[in-house]
């Protein structure tokens, strides 16, 4: 019952390409699934696994994350002991560059002072580019029972992704799930029989401390290449399969696909099998006015719909005017779509306004992204 | 031990009543905890009015079936009332000497909590009840109270004179000073009726509460005893006129009407009002999902719903499932209720966690409907199961599960 | 409506008793709210034990004089118990049908809150009382409960056999399985006594609570009814031995002793224990100030104090003022009390907000003191004023202000 | 009753010289008065004046401030509406320098996006180098009643400071308290009849927005020189006298003096006339062991004293060994002073350990400062 686990979340990814969507925000604060942000899914995994002591490592553009998380109340993480803490990239006062780490290892090293003060025995690390419902107590139990030095969660099928995006780590394991090598995926591939890392790592805090100190002293900065791959023969590094649905979000098409997958009832059930916490906005319920046509869509509180919406995901407070048609699109918070607009395969960022009669059409393989605060 | 500043005004919210005119809807919950408006409970309105008016210390007096209400209020966080000093406190009756005493009337409930009020050394006390839907800035009322140098200010509403006899009527002079109060008079002399919202200067109220408690014949009620006693002794009582939307939701009909008012753009109750938000405890639910077969007309739908049927002029609360080939019209479906395929629902209030099985018909009127005739409202109580193919006629109130067809 | 995970174990803390053996110290407050140990209240110990053991859902059953206790617990923030789901809940009696029912006994209090417990779907329920000083990891006890596959586990303490007859004695086999329970036996068969800390498997407890409630002759008490009934029906009851410091502070003498134990380095109760902090609600007070004339010996002094006199072997609570030429020895001075210059205080407990005016003498013993004889404790009740020059002899309990000299 | 005021706190001062004490912390998080930090006195002024919507502007080294304030719970500032927010110096993503503002005006300008979102009508600005119990509702009332454009709080005597330190603004006012000029003090002076600015400014939010935008467009960065002095003839800038005790903390001697002043009963009463909130540490009460001698000192929770302490201020968790003598000193949190140590006119920062028999002596005019974590 007592928790002796510290959660570490990387709020950014080193390999993402989300165009305008991450221009002024860190990956973890990107809206996802209607009313959520990516961080909500990650944090809820920890809270639902009874891990209440969590650090979030940031690199840059993390203001939107601070805004969204506030004091952490909505995730029940405003605590005297433990709770949520955002580690800003200032930690090393000696450095003259701020906010730019040479790699994950340097990020960990610069924040080691805070990590060391935690009384936790184990650490569960998550990234922000792959989402998946996971019970961290299960992976921890497996880690302890199998006497692993490091446990790395993986997925076999990347369910939900048509292709495996560039930059994903492919793990080579023997039949006992012991990892003996790691390949960084160089092409967007369609392969079937690979095991992909999903960014969740479990290890003892003491081991993390010594591995990071060691790597830093040799000028090695990449956790996967310089620790997992390099030490796979000396340490007992094991894989742990996650069988739940995977949402991979490192490109615009991946982001679009991941959102659209939520329209599938089975995927949705799997994603929401445990509560997903998010910031409470006290919006009013959605209002459907006379003449609206809404089909196969996810709609959030505070929306007001007079037009047609199909195969789309609407965040909070979106207005769709009379005669407007929104198809296969993702509409973020407070966007306003006026009369007789037509949108197809479009991602509208927050607070965008689309004036009457505008038609915007993207394609499955290249959705159009409209930047935050734009007026079209 | 904690040094603190005094509070200028604190609020006391009377939430103890049983609300028997709401029938099966208040079998297991106190009236203020009854769901309203698609995602709220009735008590969200006075609580939100308080915080929006800058009042951060509220005592909620509970007595009847308080468990769900207590759990709903919790630490007050949804209303920003989880304060270190002040915030929201639940005030049930308790044992003082060797035995306990339940609340005898509204005034006695306040009397029993004098000690609580004095902890905050307030100058003014706002008395509210938990069964009205309205948005009101109590700070403006307080300003009026101070300007008039009043001992008690009573918020009043202008109603058509023919309806005034259903209320407590205030007879006031041009300066709004009240010279007479009549409870439900047959021949009302004025169309100013009390909204049940009072500001008292605390010293004065305390004096009258103690006096009233000494009177064995008193009902210990604000309207029946305290206000008349204050008038009799020549205290300064003033009316404060409120012009917005206000509705007592103490009956099934008025609860239904008040919900429907939210769908009517001509009724002046707008909940989507950023500077005057109505706060509520939100369930942890995903956004709503609208299916392939849904048809939606002039309706309000909340988080966690899955709608695949037809919904018209209705208010659908969080977590409701409406399957395909269902038609829901002019109805209120409370949280987590399931309406299975083929069912028809009209002019009904379906309480929370109900299951209406396939091909049932609830509230359908077989009689011809005359012009202007009010449709009777059908009510299904909490957590009931209505078996497949059941027909519940208009105007019925169901308080037991119907598990056999035709039963 | 809120989806949540169930809790493995929740705690129910019985805080309703009047604590009459503490005399004037519990005239206006429930026993668990009595100050202890320089800055704590008794209830801080079970609450802190819970949070340190990983239990984040606690129901506090109150009935007698709960106002100060309720205000002290507040939203639970000082103990990190202001959770969105769970945390600390105050559970007073309430009205269910048409009338309310007070708690009849410890078991009845839990019975009346079955609905509360079931909200969290716990597998185990921990029952605690609010009048013991100890630091205990309930999580280890739960582990023992699970290992033994017990229906009920009772924490026990080894005491010298001659003292066992003051307690409930557990007679257990080598495997710690309890086969007999005797309440205060004249001839104890064992030196394992109950600490009043129980873990029950909830399904089993619920069954016995319901059964017990049906028994008109029952006192509805855990020790007297539930435990014997479970033994009789052959349930698995196990003892769990606890080896640390434990003290029942139900009497004036034991309360004084437990406080003094904190100043004795040979007694194993260390409060300065970072991984097992005792949390408490802190007043907003400045640091203590030690004046020109102060002399301090082996004492504990808290925030907001101003000390200019001599203090020896004493526990001084927050906000106390001790003027010059005062000697306080072997005493406990509770919050915000003022001891004016020239007064002498020995072997006393002075409750909070007392004023001891100049040159008074409290608790001085005029008789010669025999070896090993226990000194009688003098008690001054809350908020009293002891006028200048008053002499209060040893062993007296004062419950009214002494406003005239020699009175 | 309803608050329409936003508080802005500068957590740093441009003219402080506190040696090692502000090497790794911002001025506002410097320990003061035993268990407090400077920010506690400033924040408590706002909370006691019923202003619950507060931004803290930071420049660098503000990690200790984030640690101390946490979610703001202890100041009752964890709120859905308003509450406490620390503005990290990242606000302007276009800039390549971070954390260095050219002056107060640039700091305000870079954070104007956040300030603009507040619904407040008025702004009350505080600095961190001068502390004083003040009811901001009173100064606001005077601001409105006297129809001021800007109100600047001042003190006549700098009570508690022997000299007026360099860099303090001296205000020139006419008999109606209208400010017509401002001199920046160039010497540490002993003058009697001056009126010194104490860093508290009241004005309308809309005015602040336009003044800052205007100054920025001309490349002017100093609020006092470029707004108050330059515009004193065009705007109605009024003084408001604060008669409470002043603590001026911009040099080590000033810091020492300000702390020592708290040993004076009248000063202490004045400083604590309203509650001062701070982080709760759940320390045990102070323990005075046999053989200790404590005189004229302020002692915090968690101290354990076996030696002698005189005219000193001890923060939480300080240990003083047998035979040790501590005089005229400030001992910060968790310092450990072993047997027979002698300290006189010394400031020990947090977590310092002084081993047996060491003697350290400073002087009134130059107290010795021992850096955080040192072992002597």
């Amino acid at each position: 019952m007592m928790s002796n686990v510290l959660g570490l979340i990387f709020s950014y990814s080193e390999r993402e390409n989300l165009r305008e969507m991450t221009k002024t925000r860190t990956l973890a604060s990107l809206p996802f699934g209607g009313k959520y942000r990516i961080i909500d899914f990650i944090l809820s995994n920890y809270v639902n696994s009874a891990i209440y002591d969590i650090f979030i490592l940031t690199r840059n553009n993390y203001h939107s994350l601070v805004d969204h998380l506030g004091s952490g109340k909505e995730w029940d993480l405003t605590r005297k002991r433990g709770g949520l803490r955002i580690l800003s990239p200032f930690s090393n006062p000696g450095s003259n560059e701020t906010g730019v780490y040479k790699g994950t290892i340097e990020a960990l090293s610069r924040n080691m002072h805070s990590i060391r003060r935690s009384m936790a025995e184990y650490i569960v690390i998550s990234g922000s580019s792959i989402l998946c419902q996971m019970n961290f107590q299960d992976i921890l139990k497996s880690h302890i029972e199998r006497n692993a030095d490091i446990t790395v969660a993986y997925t076999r099928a990347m369910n939900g992704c048509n292709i495996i995006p560039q930059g994903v780590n492919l793990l080579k394991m023997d039949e006992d799930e012991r990892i003996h090598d790691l390949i960084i995926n160089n092409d967007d591939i369609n392969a079937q029989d690979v095991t992909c890392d999903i960014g969740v790592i479990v290890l003892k805090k003491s081991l993390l401390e010594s591995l990071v100190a060691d790597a830093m002293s040799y000028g090695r900065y990449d956790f996967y290449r310089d620790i997992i791959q390099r030490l796979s023969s000396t340490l007992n590094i094991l894989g742990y399969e996650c069988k739940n649905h995977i949402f991979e979000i490192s490109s615009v098409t991946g982001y679009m696909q991941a959102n659209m997958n939520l329209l599938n009832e089975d995927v949705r059930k799997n994603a929401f099998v445990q509560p997903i916490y998010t910031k409470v906005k006290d919006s009013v319920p959605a209002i459907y006015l006379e003449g609206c046509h809404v089909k196969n869509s996810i709609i959030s509180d505070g929306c007001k719909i007079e037009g047609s919406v199909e195969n789309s995901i609407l965040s909070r407070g979106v207005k769709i005017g009379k005669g407007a048609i929104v198809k296969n699109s993702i509409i973020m918070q407070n966007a306003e779509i006026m009369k007789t607009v037509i949108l197809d395969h479009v991602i509208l960022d927050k607070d965008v306004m689309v004036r009457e009669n505008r038609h915007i059409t993207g394609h499955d393989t290249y959705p159009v992204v409209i930047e935050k605060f734009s007026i079209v | 031990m904690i040094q603190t500043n005094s509070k200028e005004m604190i609020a006391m919210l009377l939430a103890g009543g049983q609300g028997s005119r709401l029938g099966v809807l208040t079998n297991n919950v106190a009236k203020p905890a009854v769901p309203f408006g698609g995602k709220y409970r009735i008590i969200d309105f006075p609580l939100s009015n308080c915080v929006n008016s800058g009042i951060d210390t509220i005592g909620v007096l509970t007595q009847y079936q308080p468990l769900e209400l207590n759990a709903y209020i919790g630490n007050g966080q949804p209303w920003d009332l989880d304060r270190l000093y002040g915030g929201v406190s639940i005030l049930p009756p308790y044992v003082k000497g060797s035995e306990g005493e339940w609340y005898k009337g509204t005034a006695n409930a306040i009397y029993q909590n004098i000690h609580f009020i004095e902890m905050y050394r307030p100058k003014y006390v706002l008395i509210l009840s938990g069964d009205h839907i309205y948005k009101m800035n109590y700070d403006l009322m307080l300003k009026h109270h101070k300007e008039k140098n009043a001992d008690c200010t009573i918020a009043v509403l202008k109603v058509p004179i023919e309806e005034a006899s259903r209320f407590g009527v205030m007879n006031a002079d041009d300066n709004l000073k009240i010279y007479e109060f009549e409870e439900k008079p047959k021949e009302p002399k004025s169309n100013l009726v009390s909204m049940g919202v009072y500001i008292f200067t605390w010293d004065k109220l305390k004096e009258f509460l103690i006096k009233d408690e000494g009177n064995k014949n008193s009902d210990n009620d604000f309207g029946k005893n305290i206000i008349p006693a204050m008038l009799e002794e020549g205290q300064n009582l003033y009316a404060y006129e409120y012009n917005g939307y206000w509705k007592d939701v103490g009956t099934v009909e008025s609860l239904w009407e008040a919900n429907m008012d939210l769908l009517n753009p001509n009724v002046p109750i707008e909940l989507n009002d950023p500077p005057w938000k109505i706060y509520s405890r939100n369930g942890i639910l995903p956004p709503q999902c609208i299916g392939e077969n849904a048809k939606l007309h002039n309706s309000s739908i909340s988080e966690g719903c899955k709608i695949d049927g037809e919904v018209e002029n209705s208010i659908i609360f969080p977590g409701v499932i409406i399957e395909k080939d269902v038609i829901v019209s002019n109805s209120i479906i409370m949280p987590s209720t399931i309406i299975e395929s083929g069912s028809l629902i009209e002019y009904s209030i379906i309480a929370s966690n109900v299951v209406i099985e396939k091909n049932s018909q609830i509230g359908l009127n077989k009689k011809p409907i005359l012009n202007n005739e009010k449709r009777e409202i059908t009510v299904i109580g909490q957590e009931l199961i209505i078996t497949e193919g059941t027909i519940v006629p208009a105007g019925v109130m169901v308080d037991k599960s119907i598990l056999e067809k035709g039963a």
Side-chain angles (χ1 to χ4, degrees), chain A residues 336 338 341 343 346 348 352-360 370-371 373-376:
Chain A
E336 189 172 352
M338 298 196 169
V341 162
L343 301 180
V346 173
L348 283 198
V352 166
M353 183 191 278
V354 185
R355 291 200 189 282
E356 291 170 27
N357 297 319
R358 310 289 195 258
H359 296 195
I360 305 169
I370 313 277
E371 204 180 333
F373 296 120
S374 308
I375 296 175
V376 179

Side-chain angles (χ1 to χ4, degrees), chain A residues 25 31 34 300-306 309 313-321 324 326 329-338 341 343 346-355 360 370-376:
Chain A
R25 58 166 79 93
S300 303
D301 266 11
C303 289
K304 201 166 184 177
I305 303 177
E306 269 189 280
V309 178
I313 311 242
L314 270 55
S315 195
R316 284 160 168 161
V318 170
K319 289 198 185 72
I320 311 265
V326 174
S329 293
I330 297 169
I331 315 292
M332 297 188 198
Q333 204 177 304
N334 295 330
E336 189 172 352
I337 292 158
M338 298 196 169
V341 162
L343 301 180
V346 173
I347 299 174
L348 283 198
D349 207 325
K350 280 176 67 180
D351 296 296
V352 166
M353 183 191 278
V354 185
R355 291 200 189 282
I360 305 169
I370 313 277
E371 204 180 333
K372 207 166 148 180
F373 296 120
S374 308
I375 296 175
V376 179

Side-chain angles (χ1 to χ4, degrees), chain B residues 253-272:
Chain B
E253 288 68 29
S254 63
L255 181 68
W256 181 85
E257 276 169 21
N259 272 286
M260 289 302 143
D261 283 347
L262 296 176
L263 296 174
N264 184 344
N266 300 320
V267 173
I269 173 87
E270 174 60 85
L271 300 186
N272 193 4

Side-chain angles (χ1 to χ4, degrees), chain A residues 35 73 281 283 288 296-297, chain B residues 39 82 285 288 298 303:
Chain A
K35 66 172 182 169
K73 254 190 192 179
K281 293 262 178 131
S283 320
Y288 297 87
N296 194 36
S297 293
Chain B
K39 65 176 281 197
D82 53 334
L285 291 169
Q288 57 197 277
N298 194 37
E303 290 191 325

Side-chain angles (χ1 to χ4, degrees), chain A residues 21-300:
Chain A
M21 289 194 280
T22 50
K23 193 171 150 193
T24 59
R25 58 166 79 93
T26 187
L27 177 58
S29 62
L30 184 66
F32 179 75
K35 66 172 182 169
Y36 301 100
R37 308 272 183 141
I38 283 176
I39 190 71
D40 297 333
F41 286 81
I42 304 165
L43 270 186
S44 298
N45 267 347
Y46 285 97
V47 172
N48 290 327
S49 305
I51 298 172
Y52 304 117
D53 191 3
I54 299 165
F55 291 161
I56 300 183
L57 286 88
T58 58
R59 194 176 53 179
N60 53 4
N61 287 335
Y62 63 101
H63 275 86
S64 55
L65 192 65
V66 172
D67 267 10
H68 179 69
L69 295 174
S71 66
K73 254 190 192 179
E74 276 111 346
W75 296 263
D76 214 2
L77 289 172
T78 311
R79 294 176 180 241
K80 285 175 86 165
R81 312 193 306 169
L84 180 67
R85 195 165 147 214
I86 298 174
L87 301 176
S88 61
F90 265 101
S91 289
N92 210 335
S95 158
N96 46 6
E97 278 180 279
T98 48
V100 187
Y101 298 128
K102 292 202 193 82
T104 40
I105 290 178
E106 196 190 358
L108 289 166
S109 168
R110 283 230 218 157
N111 289 292
M112 202 47 86
H113 182 71
S114 302
I115 295 169
R116 209 175 286 123
R117 286 199 299 189
S118 155
M119 303 220 279
E121 189 180 352
Y122 292 97
I123 291 192
V124 176
I125 301 176
S126 289
S128 283
S129 63
I130 295 180
L131 304 181
C132 173
Q133 274 276 12
M134 253 186 114
N135 187 326
F136 292 145
Q137 295 296 346
D138 292 344
I139 183 170
L140 188 68
K141 207 171 146 209
S142 137
H143 177 84
I144 295 168
E145 281 172 3
R146 296 191 298 168
N147 234 325
D149 293 311
I150 303 178
T151 299
V152 180
Y154 69 88
T155 177
R156 235 171 242 288
M158 286 298 261
N159 340 319
C161 305
N162 296 330
I163 52 158
I164 297 163
Q166 272 193 32
V168 165
N169 300 304
L170 305 179
L171 304 173
K172 300 285 169 195
M173 288 180 283
D174 61 21
E175 59 277 20
D176 298 328
E177 290 188 303
R178 178 158 175 178
I179 294 169
H180 53 76
D181 202 6
L182 174 153
I183 303 165
I184 292 156
N185 190 24
N186 285 316
D187 302 289
D188 294 332
I189 56 168
N190 224 323
Q192 287 299 317
D193 226 24
V194 292
T195 46
C196 307
D197 152 67
I198 57 170
V200 173
I201 295 166
V202 177
L203 75 174
K204 277 206 172 171
K205 196 181 82 176
S206 53
L207 180 62
L208 181 73
E209 285 178 38
S210 65
L211 290 176
V212 165
D214 198 53
M216 281 299 283
S217 71
Y218 286 98
R220 294 176 185 141
Y221 301 115
D222 187 89
F223 198 89
Y224 280 91
R225 210 176 43 225
D226 295 326
I227 291 180
I228 295 190
Q229 188 178 39
R230 180 180 292 266
L231 300 177
S232 60
S233 56
T234 47
L235 292 178
N236 186 24
I237 305 180
L238 300 180
Y240 174 90
E241 189 177 356
C242 170
K243 293 181 174 160
N244 284 324
H245 188 86
I246 302 288
F247 298 95
E248 205 282 341
I249 301 161
S250 58
S251 65
V252 174
T253 45
Y255 174 76
M256 190 77 172
Q257 186 62 56
N259 271 281
M260 289 305 160
N261 282 345
L262 281 173
L263 292 174
N264 176 300
E265 185 156 352
D266 291 334
V267 170
R268 206 167 55 235
K269 271 195 184 144
N270 191 274
F272 294 110
V273 67
Q274 297 213 67
I276 305 295
Y277 302 90
T278 188
K279 186 172 182 174
V280 170
K281 293 262 178 131
D282 297 295
S283 320
V284 297
I287 297 285
Y288 297 87
L289 295 166
E290 208 50 56
C292 75
H293 297 276
V294 182
K295 257 175 95 166
N296 194 36
S297 293
I298 289 178
I299 312 286
S300 303

Side-chain angles (χ1 to χ4, degrees), chain B residues 270-285:
Chain B
E270 174 60 85
L271 300 186
N272 193 4
D273 179 4
W276 205 272
K277 274 190 180 175
I278 304 301
Y279 298 94
S280 66
R281 186 174 290 276
N282 287 262
I284 312 295
L285 291 169

